[in-house]
Amino acid sequence: MTNGPVAAEVPETAKQAREVRARWAWTEPSVWTERMLTALEQVVKGGKWFSLIDKVYSEPNLRAAFDRVKANAGSAGVDHQTIAMFEANLDANLDRLVRELREDTYRPRPVRRAWIPKPGNPKEKRPLGIPTVRDRVVQTALRHVLEPIFERDFAEHSYGFRPGKGCKDALRRVDTLLKGGCTHVVDADLARYFDTIPWGALIARVKDKVTDGRIVALLEAYLRAAVMDGLDRWDPEQGSPQGAVVSPLLSNIYLDPLDKLAESRGYAMVRYADDFVILCRSPEEAAAALRMVQEWTATAGLILHPEKTRVVDVRTDSFEFLGYRFAPDGRWPRAKSLKKLKDTVRRRTRRTSGWSLDVIIRSLSNVLRGWFEYFKHAHRWVFESLDGWIRMRLRSILRRRMKRRGRARGADHQRWPNAYFAAQGLFSLKAAHAAACQSAKR
């Protein structure tokens, strides 16, 4: 006789289903059901997926895709339809996409080209392709279907555009390898990678896992979509447009064989999208790794930048990766990263600014918190120097408001001491770094 109710045992199959779902929690549940996920983990027959287009055009998937497109915001495409305009007739727009995709009458519209400043160098521009909202919705639905299939087998130390991974993970891996005794680094630079991916080889890699002809045709249609730059129009012959929702996934699919090749030869390669380094324990190992990269990229139809690709002895020289400069005396923000921050600060601290000091400081502090969160592992001298420069900018504003010319100097430091700005709520990089170091010691 029992003393109370007995908890029912959870069936083993239900427990396994929960565990599978937990491992793939990031996937779109309207597409990747427990049955689909189980097939994914156990590897489908022949390792290929045959019938997937119906998963793309299912209404729940397209609706979830629109929610993501809306969350990401973004501009209108060539049809001038904004996200708000698409949402105003959401049910009708989604019904139309379901019908067109099911009946195989859907065709992507041209991509609008926009030019945005390169990080740290506003004088240089890089092209960005902006699909229409309807095309972004379908691309997102397509990515919901395809990403888990390829993510399952991607290399461990590829970090760009992957669920649960990011820049900090890649940087942490590099730091671990350097501390573990790596002395030489292959610092590689792929010239115009997204613009030079060969379509034939890329589609062949997609077909290694996906044989649904309509899925492949949809991808090819996105790759071949015309580009509109103002009134100019042209048809691309290679590459995957930066700005397209599927481009990050396609870029990882194309470079995954290089990840696997490096791994098979015992090289410690760390890749974030098209930015990668290989950390080695000798100059001979680094030279061999560089030859491997040169041979592979030539075969793959890609171009290594001849001046930016090199072997670095980290004991005497530095290399840059994901915004940091790794040098013999520590880790620093690279020059472009510092310039980008300073340009932002300059725009918000013009002496002629009509904003109140309180508004300026709140705006600055938001920028500084975000910047520090990424660069908090840099050398401590960076933070003290930046703090002093930022306070000088603020003192210069106050000096002008007292009808005095020029930048802050001399008595201005006594008139508005550091404590004055701390009391106003200015975020201090130096103080934040000290707090982070103290927390790490506990």
Side-chain angles (χ1 to χ4, degrees):
M1 185 173 181
T2 60
N3 295 323
V6 177
E9 288 189 12
V10 178
E12 186 63 25
T13 53
K15 180 181 177 183
Q16 290 173 349
R18 284 204 305 269
E19 291 173 348
V20 170
R21 170 58 66 190
R23 285 194 292 272
W24 297 91
W26 56 271
T27 59
E28 170 52 42
S30 68
V31 175
W32 289 95
T33 62
E34 276 74 14
R35 182 181 65 83
M36 287 274 288
L37 289 174
T38 299
L40 180 67
E41 289 207 339
Q42 294 178 353
V43 184
V44 292
K45 186 177 180 180
K48 297 179 184 292
W49 294 78
F50 291 91
S51 182
L52 294 172
I53 191 66
D54 60 313
K55 308 294 189 301
V56 175
Y57 64 66
S58 75
E59 194 272 345
N61 184 24
L62 287 169
R63 191 170 293 274
F66 171 76
D67 289 340
R68 287 202 175 187
V69 170
K70 181 181 177 181
N72 290 334
S75 305
V78 294
D79 61 356
H80 307 294
Q81 185 180 50
T82 64
I83 292 173
M85 293 164 64
F86 189 93
E87 187 176 26
N89 296 291
L90 183 60
D91 289 344
N93 284 326
L94 293 182
D95 286 345
R96 187 178 301 113
L97 287 176
V98 170
R99 185 173 64 255
E100 290 179 359
L101 286 163
R102 185 176 59 234
E103 297 173 358
D104 203 19
T105 58
Y106 168 84
R107 299 294 181 271
R109 291 172 182 163
V111 173
R112 179 171 70 85
R113 171 153 289 185
W115 294 88
I116 61 174
K118 283 190 174 181
N121 191 351
K123 292 183 180 179
E124 289 188 34
K125 307 271 187 186
R126 68 179 178 90
L128 188 67
I130 304 176
T132 62
V133 174
R134 73 188 277 276
D135 290 338
R136 298 208 296 269
V137 170
V138 178
Q139 285 191 37
T140 303
L142 180 60
R143 183 169 177 169
H144 284 170
V145 173
L146 293 181
E147 189 167 29
I149 293 172
F150 292 93
E151 177 64 31
R152 179 188 181 279
D153 298 317
F154 278 157
E156 179 183 358
H157 298 301
S158 160
Y159 297 92
F161 310 121
R162 295 187 59 190
K165 295 190 174 190
C167 289
K168 291 183 179 179
D169 301 300
L171 291 166
R172 196 175 296 116
R173 172 70 174 161
V174 170
D175 192 55
T176 298
L177 290 166
L178 289 173
K179 290 177 178 176
C182 290
T183 57
H184 289 74
V185 172
V186 176
D187 184 7
D189 186 278
L190 289 172
R192 298 171 44 249
Y193 169 62
F194 281 86
D195 295 333
T196 58
I197 301 174
W199 289 343
L202 172 61
I203 293 301
R205 285 172 193 171
V206 172
K207 288 180 177 178
D208 285 342
K209 293 182 181 294
V210 175
T211 57
D212 185 324
R214 292 178 64 184
I215 292 285
V216 174
L218 193 54
L219 283 175
E220 289 181 318
Y222 284 128
L223 293 173
R224 296 179 184 278
V227 178
M228 297 290 296
D229 191 347
L231 297 178
D232 295 329
R233 172 182 172 134
W234 72 93
D235 298 313
E237 297 180 353
Q238 61 182 6
S240 184
Q242 294 189 63
V245 178
V246 293
S247 283
L249 174 60
L250 294 178
S251 73
N252 276 332
I253 290 173
Y254 199 66
L255 286 180
D256 185 61
L258 176 59
D259 298 333
K260 300 286 179 53
L261 177 61
E263 186 177 15
S264 69
R265 296 192 181 180
Y267 297 131
M269 178 169 159
V270 183
R271 183 172 67 81
Y272 189 95
D274 58 332
D275 194 1
F276 65 91
V277 289
I278 303 176
L279 293 97
C280 306
R281 294 181 176 275
S282 70
E284 293 78 18
E285 182 186 0
L290 177 57
R291 283 195 299 274
M292 176 201 72
V293 172
Q294 290 168 332
E295 292 168 1
W296 187 89
T297 51
T299 303
L302 302 177
I303 304 166
L304 279 174
H305 197 295
E307 296 174 1
K308 296 181 180 179
T309 300
R310 63 199 182 110
V311 172
V312 177
D313 184 340
V314 298
R315 297 167 298 184
T316 58
D317 200 355
S318 63
F319 69 97
E320 295 179 350
F321 186 59
L322 298 181
Y324 274 91
R325 179 170 64 87
F326 291 84
D329 58 348
R331 196 193 298 187
W332 305 78
R334 68 174 187 165
K336 288 184 178 180
S337 301
L338 281 174
K339 185 178 186 305
K340 183 178 179 182
L341 173 66
K342 287 191 170 186
D343 286 345
T344 302
V345 171
R346 287 189 183 100
R347 286 194 297 270
R348 300 184 187 214
T349 57
R350 292 188 174 98
R351 293 177 212 172
T352 55
S353 172
W355 295 106
S356 69
L357 185 66
D358 178 61
V359 169
I360 293 172
I361 284 178
R362 275 193 281 119
S363 173
L364 271 183
S365 294
N366 288 335
V367 171
L368 296 173
R369 283 191 188 93
W371 191 86
F372 176 77
E373 182 57 32
Y374 188 79
F375 287 104
K376 62 185 175 184
H377 300 293
H379 198 289
R380 61 184 177 84
W381 289 353
V382 173
F383 307 116
E384 185 173 358
S385 172
L386 281 172
D387 276 347
W389 178 76
I390 291 165
R391 286 191 296 264
M392 179 276 293
R393 300 279 306 177
L394 293 173
R395 289 187 181 105
S396 297
I397 294 174
L398 295 173
R399 179 182 175 86
R400 181 182 176 89
R401 291 177 181 179
M402 292 182 67
K403 310 299 183 185
R404 298 180 181 217
R405 295 183 177 180
R407 61 163 55 185
R409 58 183 182 272
D412 295 329
H413 292 263
Q414 285 72 50
R415 190 175 291 113
W416 301 293
N418 295 354
Y420 172 81
F421 297 106
Q424 300 293 315
L426 178 64
F427 183 83
S428 168
L429 295 167
K430 179 182 177 182
H433 182 253
C437 290
Q438 189 64 33
S439 176
K441 290 177 182 178
R442 293 194 183 114

